[in-house]
């Protein structure tokens, strides 16, 4: 950022380092199939920075500047624009992206430039698992947190489950984690089905699932793991899986996607966030401010973006610097901070944010055009044994 100081008819341009600034790059999929997720994430990030700085958007008198980069949901572009953010823009910290596939391409760039990348909201376990490096922190939940929470909500002795997921890192990591988590519940995973992310006709996939489950005795569920548009839940429900004794189940989602949940009152699952569930001061502020500014409640990824923004400010304050990456890493390992979901903590071993998840049951409520995820019970940090995979 450059400041112009007028002196008579002369203007003097002053640039960094005379005027220091904290440069945060938000590298995310502004365009593409996950655009709604991206918009929520960015709004949340800005609100988080605002909340944590008391509205000043400064830390110790130095302004925060947010630089936006669009990955277009393409791994090669994500990799290039993150390098551009670190190299050309001299960003001290980067946040993003939306897509797990893009995130995996970006991880080595953070290591190359020795700068922090706070992953929000990409979910795949491998981000803080097999592909992790020490410059990666994640405020978003991972596939294992989703999986364990949903396994607790759906599993049990005598329960048989099939899965339907998208055929890329998010879907496959999600099913793998869910399969592992189910083992502790006594449930059985009988069939896995993967389809391309742009699938619109689910007839063949559904028939394979129905055939695999038709002769199974006892309680049967189809667990759907899906990100972005084209969620198959309504289409598969229209095929009447109940004739085979199969119940549809899924995890939480953004408000627009919850419209399909209205068709399935009583459906259970686990969610990362729904604005009416957490009871704390940070969430109260977020809900109030979001309603006043946008006329709608905060959504799934708004809360995640806010958690990332608050984490950045708290880390810089704790480290006493934004330019020394090693000091930031030391400050962030084991750091606890308040978010709209309550307290989160960066696990020192893999920098994954440990956090609360929510077991819900779907209700139809007056005045809401979507199925409302009503809290059954909170699954706190100590209730979930999240594996360390790095």
């Amino acid at each position: 950022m450059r400041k112009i100081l007028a002196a008579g008819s002369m203007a003097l341009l002053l640039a960094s380092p005379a005027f220091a600034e904290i440069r945060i790059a938000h590298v995310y999929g502004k365009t593409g199939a996950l655009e709604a997720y991206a918009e929520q994430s960015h709004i949340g990030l800005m609100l988080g920075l605002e909340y944590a700085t008391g509205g000043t958007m400064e830390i110790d008198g130095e302004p925060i500047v947010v630089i936006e980069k669009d990955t277009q949901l393409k791994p090669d572009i994500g990799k290039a624009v993150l390098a551009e953010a670190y190299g050309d823009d001299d960003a001290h910290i980067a946040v993003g992206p939306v897509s797990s596939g893009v995130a995996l391409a970006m991880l080595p760039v953070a290591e190359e430039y020795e700068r922090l990348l706070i992953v929000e909201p990409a979910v795949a376990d491998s981000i803080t698992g097999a592909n992790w490096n020490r410059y990666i922190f994640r405020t978003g939940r991972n596939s294992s947190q989703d999986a364990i929470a949903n396994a607790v909500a759906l599993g049990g002795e005598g329960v048989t489950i099939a899965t339907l997921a998208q055929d890329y890192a998010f879907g496959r990591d999600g099913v793998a984690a869910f399969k592992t988590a189910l083992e502790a519940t006594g449930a059985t995973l009988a069939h896995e089905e993967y389809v391309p992310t742009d699938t619109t006709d689910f007839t063949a996939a559904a028939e394979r699932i129905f055939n695999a489950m038709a002769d199974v005795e006892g309680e049967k569920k189809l667990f759907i793991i899906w990100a972005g548009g084209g969620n198959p839940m309504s289409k598969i429900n229209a095929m009447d899986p109940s004739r085979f004794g199969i119940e549809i189940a899924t995890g939480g989602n953004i408000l627009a996607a919850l419209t399909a949940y209205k068709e399935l009152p009583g459906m259970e699952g686990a969610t990362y966030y729904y604005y009416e569930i957490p009871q704390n001061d940070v969430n109260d502020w977020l809900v109030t401010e979001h309603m006043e500014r946008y006329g709608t409640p905060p959504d799934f990824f708004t809360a995640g973006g806010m958690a990332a923004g608050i984490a950045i400010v708290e880390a810089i304050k704790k480290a006493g610097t934004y330019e020394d990456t090693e000091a930031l890493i030391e400050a962030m390992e084991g750091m606890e901070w308040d978010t709209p979901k309550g307290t989160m903590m960066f696990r020192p071993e893999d920098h994954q944010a440990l956090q609360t998840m929510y077991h819900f049951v779907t209700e139809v409520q007056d005045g809401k055009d979507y199925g409302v995820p009503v809290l059954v019970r909170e699954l706190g940090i100590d209730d979930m044994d999240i594996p360390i995979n790095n």
Side-chain angles (χ1 to χ4, degrees), residues 336-357:
E336 297 184 3
W337 76 104
D338 292 330
T339 81
K341 296 180 60 182
T343 301
M344 289 189 185
M345 189 269 281
F346 282 127
R347 184 163 57 184
E349 292 86 352
D350 61 358
H351 302 172
Q352 173 62 47
L354 302 182
Q355 57 197 279
T356 298
M357 301 288 284

Side-chain angles (χ1 to χ4, degrees), residues 259-271:
T259 54
Y261 291 37
K262 197 169 184 178
E263 302 172 12
L264 297 161
M267 180 182 71
E268 293 189 64
T271 190

